[in-house]
Every structure is written in structure tokens, then in C-alpha cells.
Amino acid sequence: MSSVSSGRDDARRAPAAAVRDGLRAANAQLSVLDQVVSARLDMRNSDRVCLDLIARHGPIGPSELARLAGVHPATMTGVIDRLQRAGWVVRERDPEAADRRGVAVRVRRDRAGEVHRLYGGMRSALDEICAGYSAAELELIVDFLGKVSAAGQAAAQELADQ
């Protein structure tokens, strides 16, 4: 390796470590926020994560939801049962399913505002933070976060496959 290349690598090492540390700190604080929201909603944190996945990807089949959440399909059945009993989601016949047993899960629109409201403070804080960046900088941040999300998904899948 050339000394120029080595110097560039050294110059990037500390900032890259700071990014990783920043992501860990942000993840910890967001996890605390999520736990508080879950407690306010009187649901398990894992169920709230699944509710969010349903809201973002739904209507969605239970198998696809289990894959996105990284849980066994049998476990997902229990999660969906709890969310349905609590009035958060409904199961509907999936018109695109290969057979009549196919179902899709969707969030009840009349309940979606409850979760949205609990994250209102964080959403407002993020709006203020984003106001301090240019459109180009925000595009870079979006790209970075998308890559971080994909890397996390790949790492989780790799661990699950072992």
C-alpha cells in the first residue's frame, strides 16, 4: 500500500469510527423512545415494530411480515393475533393470493393517529434538525441511511442463516 493511500485511510479511520459511535448512540436513544411508546400503547416492543412494518408495507401477508421482522412465521401468528385483539390491525382476504386462505394484514386507519401522535415530539425535532441542512446534504443523508438500513438487514439475514 502506498503512503498516500495509507494516509487517506488514516484520515478516514477516526471519522468513520465517530459515525459508527454516533449510530450506536442514536440507536440506543431511539430504542428508549420506542420502548416508551410501546409502554404507552400497552404493547410489546416487538409487536410495535411489527405494527410499524405493517403500516409501512401493508397490506401485507403474514409470511412476508415475518420475513421483514426476522421472526418465525409461527411467532408472527401470535403477534398478529395480539395486534388484532387489541384493535390495531385487521386480517382481510388477499385478492391476489393463490388460494382462498391467503390473508393480508393492514393497520386500522382509525388507530394510526395514536402511534403518530406519540412520535410527534421526535418528528418535530427531526424537522428542526433537517432545516439546518441543504437539500443536497439531506439527499446524502438519505442515501447514507438507506445503505445503513440495507447493511443492517443483510447482517441480520446472515446471522439468521447461520
Side-chain angles (χ1 to χ4, degrees):
M1 178 181 331
S2 75
S3 62
V4 173
S5 177
S6 178
R8 262 187 271 154
D9 290 345
D10 289 344
R12 294 174 60 87
R13 192 167 290 129
V19 167
R20 285 191 304 274
D21 289 346
L23 285 171
R24 286 181 67 198
N27 182 57
Q29 291 307 307
L30 292 172
S31 291
V32 170
L33 173 62
D34 289 341
Q35 289 172 10
V36 170
V37 168
S38 295
R40 281 286 197 82
L41 297 171
D42 195 28
M43 72 172 63
R44 297 175 186 185
N45 198 46
S46 58
D47 292 0
R48 189 209 39 79
V49 169
C50 289
L51 182 64
D52 182 58
L53 289 170
I54 297 165
R56 289 190 297 138
H57 300 281
I60 187 170
S63 295
E64 177 66 6
L65 180 59
R67 187 190 66 74
L68 288 173
V71 300
H72 191 276
T75 301
M76 186 52 62
T77 299
V79 170
I80 295 170
D81 286 348
R82 285 189 300 275
L83 291 172
Q84 187 171 22
R85 273 194 309 273
W88 289 103
V89 301
V90 294
R91 285 178 169 107
E92 300 173 327
R93 187 169 171 271
D94 184 354
E96 297 179 18
D99 65 38
R100 294 184 339 200
R101 294 173 293 173
V103 298
V105 182
R106 70 167 175 82
V107 174
R108 287 185 42 194
R109 287 187 190 104
D110 61 319
R111 299 288 307 270
E114 294 174 52
V115 177
H116 194 72
R117 192 170 41 259
L118 291 172
Y119 283 104
M122 184 63 185
R123 206 173 33 264
S124 294
L126 285 173
D127 288 345
E128 286 182 34
I129 292 167
C130 289
Y133 292 93
S134 70
E137 289 170 324
L138 290 172
E139 287 177 23
L140 182 65
I141 293 167
V142 167
D143 178 66
F144 173 78
L145 291 174
K147 289 175 180 174
V148 168
S149 180
Q153 184 179 23
Q157 187 62 52
E158 182 180 323
L159 286 172
D161 291 343
Q162 291 179 357

